[in-house]
Amino acid sequence: MGALLGVGVLVHLLVATRVFEVSAQTWCNKNYMTTEPIVPPGGEFVIPATSATPLLAFRCSPALRPYLTDDVSPQDPTSVSILIDAPITFSHISGAAPITLADPAGAGSLDVTVSVDGKVLTSGSVPLNSTKHPLPFSLASLQPRTAAFNLSCTAKFSSQTFHATGSLSYLVPPRSDFASVTKMDLRTGALLARPANGKGGPFAPVFPIGFYTQFDGYLFTIIHPVPTFSNLTLLDAVLDKMQEAGLYIMYDMRGTYTNATAVTEQVNRIKGRPNLLLWYTADEPDGTSDPLDATLKASNLITSLDGGDGAGGAGYHPVSLVLNCENYQFTAYTSGADIVLQDTYMIGNNVTFSSQFHTVCTKDYGDCGCDNCKGSFEDISTRMDEFKQRLFINGWERTKAVWTVPQGFGNETYWKRYPTGKEFVVESIVGINHGGLGVVSWDDPTTPDIKASASLLARSLPQMTPFIFDPVAVFRQITVNRVDVGIWTSGSKILVLASNMNYFVVPITLADLGLSAGAISQVLDSGAKINGKGFTFESIGSGAFILTK
């Protein structure tokens, strides 16, 4: 606890409070002043055309990114494999090609071959419409190197042939000036890292939960200090204390990520930290309409300094950024990230009329602090679903992950009050249930109520992550009477994670969720209880339960 309190004192000295204000001439490329005309912002994500006949979106990617020499003899053989996705679609998404099916139900299998440099790496039969189908291979057939290997994947179905490409990074062991490596498990999107204290240990899944500038002892796993860092001696002291406390770093280069000299200096100074989990470049570049190639240029530079090739292959740590707009230049900005966060802030906010600029907010005009929002918790699930769907359309569903940024602030500019602690948990769980693999809130300092509720969620996560990060768990999301429910089935056990988005009591039964009766234990109580037939949720109550079949 002493180390944690030391981190707290230092962080408060290091980081100034952010002031929310619009500094750009537009926000999400929309005019927002009363003196300005309504001009459509453009930049919308293009929805692919539909197809009257079936298409195969054949895709391939490695199970881990990057591989290291310690993966040559893995404990889990499926971790060293090429993942094959073979969805049948009626939409012209990236790489989709016409397929002639004898069975309208899409039954049948593909004969798949994966090659590197003209040599077969692995092959096998893959069912049509399958996802994440592993084809194991041997890393011993490859030599580690900085440059990524190009995967050439071929699938044959009857007389038809389909092609896909991918990238496999098998990096050389880190030099002494690199003290940590973070892998992405592309089977789940989870991050894998060694313990943050620098004392060694195996790679294990990390569920990042914490605050921008968060520090106190609430069992959080990550701190995201916010620049500028004018006092480097103090910054080093903060990061030393974080390592001592076993807290990971999400290192932020907002404001300097377009400056190659500044990025180079920061990466070379920080990459030797054993608790470095990931890099963070752009903070809401879509809001300020940063150059469309800026995030990709920054990511390539960072990767080239961090053990990778700087040409699309992985480095020793993933790169992240946050997007604020609902639909402005998603593909351009997300191309420069392995992890994209969304920050949908609608609590205490009039999302249809700007309290700052006294204009209406529409899809073409205005800034209300929550772009194209409706003012309900569904704004979060909609944003998460849209981001995940866009990744799928672009063929990035394996190589990029989405995290959520719950609102932890209030009493300023657009936001006239803080969320309650229970509202904060709802924000977080809705994000997780819709694919979020990290929860990093803006921002700390926050209220004691939010801090206590965030701590409650953090303390329960170790009992939930074995389900969330299980590569073979079966997941489905369902909403019943505005109770948002995530259900993970792993063997004989089922995790139910749910939040009531209503401001009144709602009961739901196991039958509502398509589940049968069994032994139930509760691992999170933020206003939810087990009843005779299922669960009862208080106003904006949340709970997590483990069912045994």
Side-chain angles (χ1 to χ4, degrees), residues 20 27 45 66 85 106 128-129 137 147 170 198 227 238 240 254 298 306 333 376 409 415 493 509 518 523:
F20 280 94
W27 194 257
F45 188 84
D85 291 286
L128 280 174
N129 252 337
F137 71 96
Y170 181 26
V238 169
D240 288 343
R254 73 179 70 197
D306 190 30
Y333 293 123
S376 66
F409 63 91
W415 303 276
K493 293 184 180 295
T509 66
V523 297

Side-chain angles (χ1 to χ4, degrees), residues 168-203:
L168 186 153
S169 292
Y170 181 26
L171 297 182
V172 297
R175 304 188 309 262
S176 59
D177 55 336
F178 295 91
S180 68
V181 177
T182 300
K183 304 177 185 180
M184 285 188 70
D185 186 339
L186 304 190
R187 298 169 297 177
T188 62
L191 299 187
L192 308 176
R194 292 190 171 100
N197 58 19
K199 297 179 180 179
F203 282 92

Side-chain angles (χ1 to χ4, degrees), residues 97-141:
I99 183 170
T100 301
L101 300 173
D103 181 354
S109 295
L110 302 170
D111 293 323
V112 175
T113 302
V114 181
S115 300
V116 169
D117 296 335
K119 297 180 180 179
V120 174
L121 185 66
T122 184
S123 62
S125 179
V126 177
L128 280 174
N129 252 337
S130 61
T131 60
K132 304 186 294 185
H133 186 92
L135 295 180
F137 71 96
S138 173
L139 273 175
S141 63

Side-chain angles (χ1 to χ4, degrees), residues 41 145 149-150 162 176 179 237 254 268 312 323 367 422 425 445 454 477 531 538:
R145 67 188 196 187
F149 293 92
N150 293 318
F162 304 87
S176 59
R254 73 179 70 197
N268 287 336
L323 297 182
D367 175 24
K422 288 170 67 177
V425 174
Q477 186 279 333
N531 63 35
E538 298 173 4

Side-chain angles (χ1 to χ4, degrees), residues 10-131:
L10 291 170
V11 168
H12 273 299
L13 290 171
L14 177 70
V15 181
T17 301
R18 177 183 180 185
V19 177
F20 280 94
E21 59 178 309
V22 176
S23 57
Q25 295 300 308
T26 61
W27 194 257
C28 301
N29 210 37
K30 300 177 185 179
N31 290 332
Y32 55 81
M33 302 294 289
T34 57
T35 56
E36 296 173 326
I38 297 174
V39 180
E44 292 91 350
F45 188 84
V46 177
I47 302 301
T50 58
S51 172
T53 57
L55 308 172
L56 173 66
F58 174 55
R59 294 165 177 179
C60 59
S61 59
L64 296 185
R65 174 183 168 98
Y67 287 109
L68 301 175
T69 53
D70 59 7
D71 294 308
V72 171
S73 300
Q75 293 185 341
D76 178 3
T78 66
S79 67
V80 182
S81 63
I82 303 301
L83 303 178
I84 304 298
D85 291 286
I88 300 296
T89 179
F90 288 84
S91 176
H92 288 278
I93 63 177
S94 178
I99 183 170
T100 301
L101 300 173
D103 181 354
S109 295
L110 302 170
D111 293 323
V112 175
T113 302
V114 181
S115 300
V116 169
D117 296 335
K119 297 180 180 179
V120 174
L121 185 66
T122 184
S123 62
S125 179
V126 177
L128 280 174
N129 252 337
S130 61
T131 60

